[in-house]
Structures are given as C-alpha cells and as structure tokens.
Amino acid sequence: MSQMISVSEALKTLLSKETKVVVLTGAGISAESGVPTFRGEDGLWKKFRPEELATFDAFMANPELVWEWYEYRRKIIEEIKPNPAHLALVEFQNHFEEFDLITQNVDGLHNQAGSKNVVELHGNIKRNKCIRCGAQYETLEKTIKGIPPKCHCGGNIRPDVVWFGEMLPQDALNYAFKVSSDCDLFFSVGTSAVVHPAASLPLIAKRSGAYVVEVNMERTEISHVIDESLIGKAGKIMPQLVKFFM
Ligand code: OAD
C-alpha cells in the first residue's frame, strides 16, 4: 500500500464537483512515463544547449541537427504511455463541472490518456508546419522526404512547437489567462514554474482569489506564494486526490 499524502481540509472541501478547476502541467507529469524533463540533474538542458536546438535561428543555421533532435525526442515519445497522473486528470475532467487542462508539454500524452480540449501552450511535437507557407502537417506523408522534409511549396518543414523567443499561440494563451483568472482551484503539476508566460498562470490565479496547489518532487519558484505544496511524484499524488472527490 502506498502511503496517503496529507491534504488540507481546505483542499478536500474544494474537491467538490461545483468547484471551477484549472490544471497547468509541465514536463514533470510525463517524467514517470519516461519523457526527460528540461531542468534538474537529468534534465535535457544539462546535456543540450537550448539556443542550439530550440530557436528559429538554430533551425535556420542547422536545420538537419534541429530536425534530428526532434526526431530523437519523437522516438522517445512514440514508445511511451500516459501514466497514472495523466489518467487521474481524465477523472478530474469527468468529475468537475468546469474544468480546464493547460499544458506546456508537447508530448500529446494528455490527449492519449483521453483528456479533451487540452490547451497546448507550447505546441505539439507530433505536428509539423512549413516555415514558408505555414501549411500544417498532422502526419508527414510518406512522399515527403528530406532532413528536414520539404513542403510542397519548397519550404523547410519544422516541428509545430514553440521555440525560445517565439510567441505562444495567441488564442491558447488568451484562453489560459482567462480561465486562470476565473477559477476557484488551480493546480500546478510537474512544472518548475520558471518559463513565462506559462509560469505566470498560477500567480494570476492566486491574485484572482483561487486556492493554488502545486504537485512537484520539490519546492519551486512559486511555493512561497501559493496555498499548498504537495511534494512527491505526480503519478502517486494525482490518483490520491481523485479519492477525495465528493
Ligand atoms: P522543467 O524541466 O523545468 O520542470 C519539471 C518539474 O517537474 C521540476 O520542478 C521537477 O521537480 C518536477 N518533477 C520531476 N519529476 C516529477 C514527478 N514524477 N512528479 C512531479 N513533479 C516532477 O519542465 P517545465 O516546467 O515543463 O519550453 O518547463 C517549462 C518549459 O521549459 C518547457 O515547456 C520547455 C522548457 O524549456 C520550451 O521548449 C519552449
């Protein structure tokens, strides 16, 4: 039997179906599925330099390298499955009458788990788009070849993710700001909460009067301003929260 986490009475009361809930997730929620996180000892940014791999300039300077790096990350994602934390969030969506799930992750694991209307702030690694004409590719046809592949218009195809220095998709961001400033309970799960604008969402929720809870292996940048930190693995904690649903 895994040990139950200690949850405040305030949070237990808020787990009733009428509560308006927003959840923001980051790389930590996928860690137990086998997706590497970005920061921390084993984080991707310890081994790779973001400016060489995750910027538009890097892609223009070395499209083959950047494409191959994303292929490497796609291979990891192809072989993995959602974990109990992703699955618990599907139960969250079924339970709460008003619920929004916002993610910084590009791995698509929330969709794979069965979550609906996921707000993907940083794009999706499985999708691609042309840098010249903007055509979107949900999957790459077998006829499209090259590293990186070439669009029908001749432009290079890139992963449809947000790189450093790029704007987040405006509609998704506006929606995330709106629901975060109008919820009763906000969860920040598996994110170091250092990359803005996503990192400002829990703070906006807090300022707007929501009860803000983080679920993380360790305390983060926002721990001192929020209401409750649940320290441990998301795959253990999120399913335990489901048991408190009223
Ligand atoms: P980070 O790698 O910065 O943070 C992951 C967080 O998850 C850390 O705080 C870990 O302590 C925590 N963590 C690790 N394993 C966990 C587990 N099993 N359960 C719960 N928490 C766990 O990832 P993000 O915050 O998502 O952006 O990073 C934000 C953005 O920075 C990413 O979307 C990406 C990156 O650079 C772009 O590429 C634009």
Side-chain angles (χ1 to χ4, degrees):
M1 258 302 263
S2 64
Q3 218 187 335
M4 284 295 278
I5 40 151
S6 162
V7 171
S8 73
E9 287 306 315
L11 176 52
K12 282 184 198 162
T13 308
L14 279 166
L15 292 173
S16 74
K17 64 180 168 42
E18 298 81 19
T19 302
K20 235 186 245 184
V21 176
V22 173
V23 177
L24 170 70
T25 64
I29 197 169
S30 296
E32 290 159 75
S33 291
V35 185
T37 58
F38 293 96
R39 295 169 187 82
E41 273 317 301
D42 299 324
L44 286 171
W45 297 150
K46 273 263 154 54
K47 294 182 218 131
F48 304 101
R49 290 161 63 89
E51 60 276 22
E52 284 170 8
L53 295 163
T55 66
F56 188 72
D57 286 349
F59 185 68
M60 293 309 276
N62 201 340
E64 294 84 6
L65 174 75
V66 173
W67 183 262
E68 295 282 21
W69 191 64
Y70 278 90
E71 282 295 283
Y72 154 75
R73 288 180 56 199
R74 280 179 181 137
K75 288 252 155 56
I76 297 178
I77 287 165
E78 259 167 34
E79 286 160 18
I80 57 160
K81 290 192 172 53
N83 66 54
H86 298 104
L87 298 173
L89 285 175
V90 180
E91 297 197 47
F92 271 57
Q93 191 157 44
N94 293 335
H95 172 70
F96 294 108
E97 286 162 3
E98 290 187 69
F99 175 82
D100 284 289
L101 176 55
I102 303 165
T103 190
Q104 300 164 83
N105 299 343
V106 296
D107 56 32
L109 285 176
H110 287 303
N111 293 317
Q112 210 177 312
S115 287
K116 304 268 183 305
N117 307 320
V118 182
V119 180
E120 293 180 321
L121 287 181
H122 292 169
N124 190 308
I125 200 169
K126 294 175 189 161
R127 214 170 43 224
N128 296 284
K129 65 180 178 189
C130 171
I131 62 165
R132 187 186 292 171
C133 72
Q136 277 213 350
Y137 292 86
E138 292 294 330
T139 51
L140 283 177
E141 301 151 33
K142 291 224 165 52
T143 51
I144 299 182
K145 296 246 169 355
I147 302 177
K150 292 271 183 227
C151 178
H152 302 300
C153 78
N156 276 338
I157 293 176
R158 59 166 278 184
D160 194 2
V161 297
V162 175
W163 282 329
F164 287 99
E166 292 186 322
M167 300 284 285
L168 272 63
Q170 199 58 52
D171 288 353
L173 186 59
N174 288 345
Y175 184 79
F177 280 137
K178 181 167 94 64
V179 294
S180 300
S181 62
D182 184 31
C183 64
D184 308 312
L185 176 60
F186 186 103
F187 287 95
S188 177
V189 184
T191 174
S192 54
V194 291
V195 176
H196 287 270
S200 59
L201 296 174
L203 307 177
I204 288 171
K206 178 68 192 154
R207 261 204 311 273
S208 310
Y211 192 83
V212 180
V213 179
E214 74 178 345
V215 177
N216 202 300
M217 298 288 284
E218 57 194 14
R219 288 176 65 78
T220 69
E221 293 288 308
I222 60 166
S223 301
H224 64 291
V225 289
I226 62 164
D227 297 288
E228 194 161 340
S229 294
L230 301 176
I231 302 295
K233 291 185 173 178
K236 288 264 178 326
I237 294 176
M238 299 309 287
Q240 288 192 23
L241 291 177
V242 170
K243 299 215 172 95
F244 293 113
F245 283 174
M246 293 185 285

